[in-house]
Amino acid sequence: MADERFISVEGIARRYAVGDHVTTIFEDLWLALPKGAFTCVIGHSGCGKTTVLNILAGLESPSEGAVIVDGHEISGPSLDRAVIFQGHALLPWKTVLGNVAYAVASRWKTASRTEIRDRAQRYIDLVGLRGSEHKRPAELSGGMKQRVGIARALSIEPKILLMDEPFSALDALTRGALQDEARRLCAEAGQTVFMITHDVDEAIYLADRIVLMTNGPGALVAEIVENPLPRDRARDALHHAAAYYPLRNHLIDFLVTRGGAFRDNLPAGYDRRRPPVTTQWPGAPIAPTPMAMATNFATR
Amino acid sequence: MIGVRARAALLSAFIFLLSMVVWHMAVHGGGAGGPALDPEYAKLMGVQMAGAKSAMPGPLDVGAKLVEHLRHPFYNNGPNDKGLGLQLLYSIGRVALGYTLALAAALPLGFLIGMSELAYKALDPFIQILKPVSPLAWMPLALYTIKDSGLSAIFVIFICSVWPMLINTAFGVASVRKEWLNVARTLEVGPWRRAITVILPAAAPTILTGMRISVGIAWLVIVAAEMLVGGTGIGYFVWNEWNNLSISNVIVAILMIGLIGMILDQMLARCQRAVTFPE
Ligand SMILES: Nc1ncnc2c1ncn2[C@@H]1O[C@H](COP(=O)(O)OP(=O)(O)OP(=O)(O)O)[C@@H](O)[C@H]1O
Ligand SMILES: [Mg+2]
């Protein structure tokens, strides 16, 4: 059904020509993301995660292939796909309110000043920055800047939220608090999210599905891991869940060993167009069938 | 313990007083040309000093002249006798006009060059060749084609101030952070709105650097240009007073030129601070 392939990455490639030598970062990459799901991508540095995200955002175009979102091939950036940039990318000459209002005014071009202001203020309140709306980005801490970035992305009510390592530059406490907030906001809105992270625990806490990418060049989607933890998982109880450590070991095992050699000994029946959705690994709980999961996503 | 600012001010005052005293003594011969001098050198100097004594004013003469000018800055007794303030106003007016025209040309053209690689590559040879030409070299051409000395001076100001503003605008526009442009792209901001709401504020500090360099050059060049075209202006004043051998007036004019130049620069520095935001 359409919701299972809400975002459909169809055979994209990205090549860079350096001199007369062409490097293929990845090619013939296929990936389907269901509507309303929180998807995290993990993979080694330089494997092409940011490139995939930029292509989804429409900021870069693939050398080959296409990305279909909600039935339409994308041809450039869109207000339907909000990006939270790694370096927060706030406009330093605008205040917090100004930055968020800029996005709101771009979305609702005919809205009145007060409407724009009220909506921007609402999202600033939502990320807990009430009282700082007239500060400029230079006066904010790293965590506060990232919050503004989140408010700006959510304020345009995008169909899809794309995040490139949004929390990796923050200290552990701030990161935890922002993860909680991102989780709450996305769950409330039923947001479709595509997020890059280097942090396995962050992926386990936030994601419904975790996409594992092999090392580049010529990176592949090795598998898509269904997160067996309950949807209402709590951060502090995470490591008490029986499924937690097996899942964590499975992911780390991929990053450390399986990921590197994956391309040289592809598993039997591996199909680039349909990367395996895994629910089974050593110590994994008896999982619901992939079909049941699919229905889950669709009805959320 | 007083702050470094206060100490610097004290030191400045001291340097000022010391140079005044040295100047005064040098002009009035008291002590400066004493027996410490080599006798041959003293003989040479002595011959010259006798002739120069009347022309070279001391600080007190210059001070008196300055007060006189400040009392009546705007009098007008015909073409060769105008108040210092009036002459400065002529010069400032020419600079303002030429500079504003240059800004009006440099901003849009700089945006074009900064945003389009084609325009950059196509216009670069012209800029490279025309930029190092001394603005005064344009003067004969200007006088010949425009046939008006006042307008020619304005043209020379235009041509000398256009390059730094053009190059800095192009550079500022071309080096706007890609992230900020990507923000505008993901928000589907149209080209005009993007130019005004993202590129202009991001490039503003660099553009103002160019404007500051330009106003400095324009103020340097106006004096020389007015010496050439004559008639009015502070440059003409300096030349005229030199012909009258009134060195006091020349020194007062030098002070005023420096002062106005500083004020122009400080005004733009203030504007620059107003548009610069740390990240
Ligand atoms: N302009 C370019 N020219 C040549 N190669 C490039 C260019 N931009 C990126 N690459 C290469 O593309 C590969 C993928 O880059 P990308 O930024 O997508 O990696 P990533 O997975 O996001 O890495 P990280 O986790 O470090 O952010 C890298 O190996 C990089 O060297
Ligand atoms: Mg990256």
Side-chain angles (χ1 to χ4, degrees):
Chain A
M1 64 192 299
D3 278 357
E4 257 304 281
R5 300 191 79 87
F6 182 58
I7 304 174
S8 180
V9 173
E10 309 199 340
I12 61 170
R14 188 78 177 94
R15 304 181 209 283
Y16 285 108
V18 183
D20 50 359
H21 175 77
V22 176
T23 319
T24 300
I25 308 303
F26 50 76
E27 62 185 339
D28 201 15
L29 190 85
W30 294 74
L31 187 63
L33 305 180
K35 194 180 172 87
F38 199 125
T39 307
C40 274
V41 184
I42 56 180
H44 280 283
S45 192
C47 71
K49 305 181 294 295
T50 299
T51 310
V52 171
L53 184 131
N54 283 345
I55 290 172
L56 287 181
L59 292 170
E60 282 181 43
S61 37
S63 312
E64 288 156 24
V67 176
I68 317 286
V69 171
D70 208 6
H72 300 282
E73 178 175 346
I74 66 170
S75 56
S78 156
L79 282 158
D80 288 338
R81 282 166 273 131
V83 184
I84 296 181
F85 297 88
Q86 177 163 12
H88 60 73
L90 301 179
L91 305 177
W93 55 88
K94 286 185 186 290
T95 59
V96 168
L97 187 64
N99 267 286
V100 180
Y102 185 62
V104 175
S106 304
R107 169 64 136 180
W108 291 277
K109 294 188 174 65
T110 55
S112 73
R113 260 162 190 273
T114 33
E115 279 174 302
I116 291 170
R117 208 192 150 85
D118 291 348
R119 174 174 283 272
Q121 185 67 54
R122 197 157 74 241
Y123 281 88
I124 289 169
D125 294 350
L126 203 64
V127 296
L129 282 181
R130 174 171 277 267
S132 300
E133 47 276 77
H134 299 299
K135 289 190 179 148
R136 292 194 201 275
E139 301 168 66
L140 305 177
S141 70
M144 290 162 90
K145 282 183 211 169
Q146 208 51 271
R147 283 196 161 94
V148 182
I150 296 173
R152 177 172 66 183
L154 293 178
S155 70
I156 59 172
E157 294 182 357
K159 288 185 189 161
I160 297 163
L161 194 56
L162 304 167
M163 303 197 258
D164 190 352
E165 299 184 40
F167 311 130
S168 59
L170 305 173
D171 65 277
L173 266 179
T174 316
R175 189 184 321 146
L178 277 185
Q179 285 167 353
D180 291 344
E181 252 166 67
R183 205 182 139 68
R184 174 175 61 82
L185 293 171
C186 292
E188 277 168 10
Q191 191 76 53
T192 307
V193 187
F194 181 84
M195 173 169 147
I196 297 172
T197 177
H198 269 128
D199 181 344
V200 169
D201 287 310
E202 181 169 270
I204 295 175
Y205 178 51
L206 293 176
D208 301 315
R209 341 168 92 204
I210 303 165
V211 176
L212 305 182
M213 267 178 89
T214 66
N215 299 356
L220 297 169
V221 174
E223 60 181 80
I224 298 167
V225 175
E226 291 280 6
N227 192 336
L229 297 175
R231 287 219 98 222
D232 56 350
R233 64 195 85 128
R235 162 192 306 288
D236 41 6
L238 211 56
H239 54 284
H240 295 305
Y244 173 75
Y245 280 107
L247 172 63
R248 192 168 193 280
N249 289 339
H250 181 67
L251 297 177
I252 289 182
D253 180 48
F254 174 82
L255 287 177
V256 176
T257 51
R258 278 186 302 131
F262 187 85
R263 204 149 33 98
D264 302 326
N265 39 24
L266 290 177
Y270 176 79
D271 178 4
R272 279 169 168 274
R273 295 187 168 225
R274 249 174 279 278
V277 177
T278 40
T279 52
Q280 290 306 307
W281 48 84
I286 308 301
T289 64
M291 256 338 280
M293 288 298 285
T295 332
N296 254 346
F297 285 123
T299 50
R300 249 202 320 264
Chain B
M1 188 68 196
I2 48 174
V4 76
R5 246 164 193 267
R7 275 184 291 160
L10 273 178
L11 189 59
S12 298
F14 175 73
I15 292 172
F16 176 73
L17 279 178
L18 187 72
S19 39
M20 289 301 118
V21 168
V22 170
W23 178 12
H24 182 83
M25 307 238 288
V27 169
H28 292 276
L37 279 182
D38 178 66
E40 293 237 347
Y41 181 63
K43 209 166 80 192
L44 271 175
M45 289 301 286
V47 175
Q48 284 198 335
M49 287 292 260
K53 196 155 202 167
S54 56
M56 190 62 202
L60 295 177
D61 310 324
V62 173
K65 254 292 182 267
L66 182 62
V67 171
E68 197 185 310
H69 278 298
L70 291 181
R71 281 237 179 91
H72 310 283
F74 298 116
Y75 71 88
N76 190 353
N77 298 338
N80 280 340
D81 191 12
K82 290 186 169 51
L84 187 61
L86 202 57
Q87 301 285 35
L88 281 169
L89 280 185
Y90 275 112
S91 300
I92 292 173
R94 284 189 186 118
V95 166
L97 206 58
Y99 183 81
T100 310
L101 289 175
L103 183 64
L107 270 188
L109 207 57
F111 257 75
L112 182 70
I113 296 174
M115 295 215 268
S116 139
E117 204 185 331
L118 178 69
Y120 172 79
K121 293 230 161 96
L123 293 174
D124 192 50
F126 299 101
I127 296 175
Q128 294 301 334
I129 288 185
L130 294 181
K131 182 180 62 150
V133 175
S134 163
L136 294 174
W138 290 93
M139 189 61 106
L141 205 58
L143 286 169
Y144 180 73
T145 46
I146 306 178
K147 298 191 172 61
D148 178 287
S149 58
L151 286 181
S152 297
I154 290 169
F155 171 77
V156 168
I157 295 304
F158 169 85
I159 207 83
C160 77
S161 36
V162 82
W163 307 117
M165 293 199 275
L166 180 64
I167 291 164
N168 273 54
T169 304
F171 177 72
V173 167
S175 47
V176 173
R177 290 259 298 272
K178 201 160 175 225
E179 289 179 13
W180 298 337
L181 294 174
N182 279 346
V183 168
R185 287 177 67 201
T186 56
L187 293 174
E188 294 185 49
V189 174
W192 283 105
R193 188 158 173 259
R194 183 180 59 200
I196 291 165
T197 57
V198 178
I199 299 175
L200 186 61
T206 321
I207 295 175
L208 267 141
T209 305
M211 289 173 67
R212 258 178 100 176
I213 298 171
S214 281
V215 88
I217 295 177
W219 192 241
L220 289 179
V221 166
I222 190 66
V223 175
E226 285 170 347
M227 282 181 176
L228 282 178
V229 300
T232 49
I234 192 70
Y236 172 70
F237 178 86
V238 170
W239 197 247
N240 199 30
E241 295 307 316
W242 158 238
N243 286 333
N244 296 341
L245 271 184
S246 171
I247 304 297
S248 298
N249 272 331
V250 172
I251 296 177
V252 170
I254 288 175
L255 273 178
M256 285 326 224
I257 293 170
L259 192 70
I260 301 288
M262 186 185 81
I263 291 173
L264 290 176
D265 186 61
Q266 289 302 309
M267 272 166 33
L268 283 173
R270 193 162 284 204
C271 295
Q272 187 172 29
R273 255 173 273 138
V275 298
T276 305
F277 297 95
E279 284 166 37

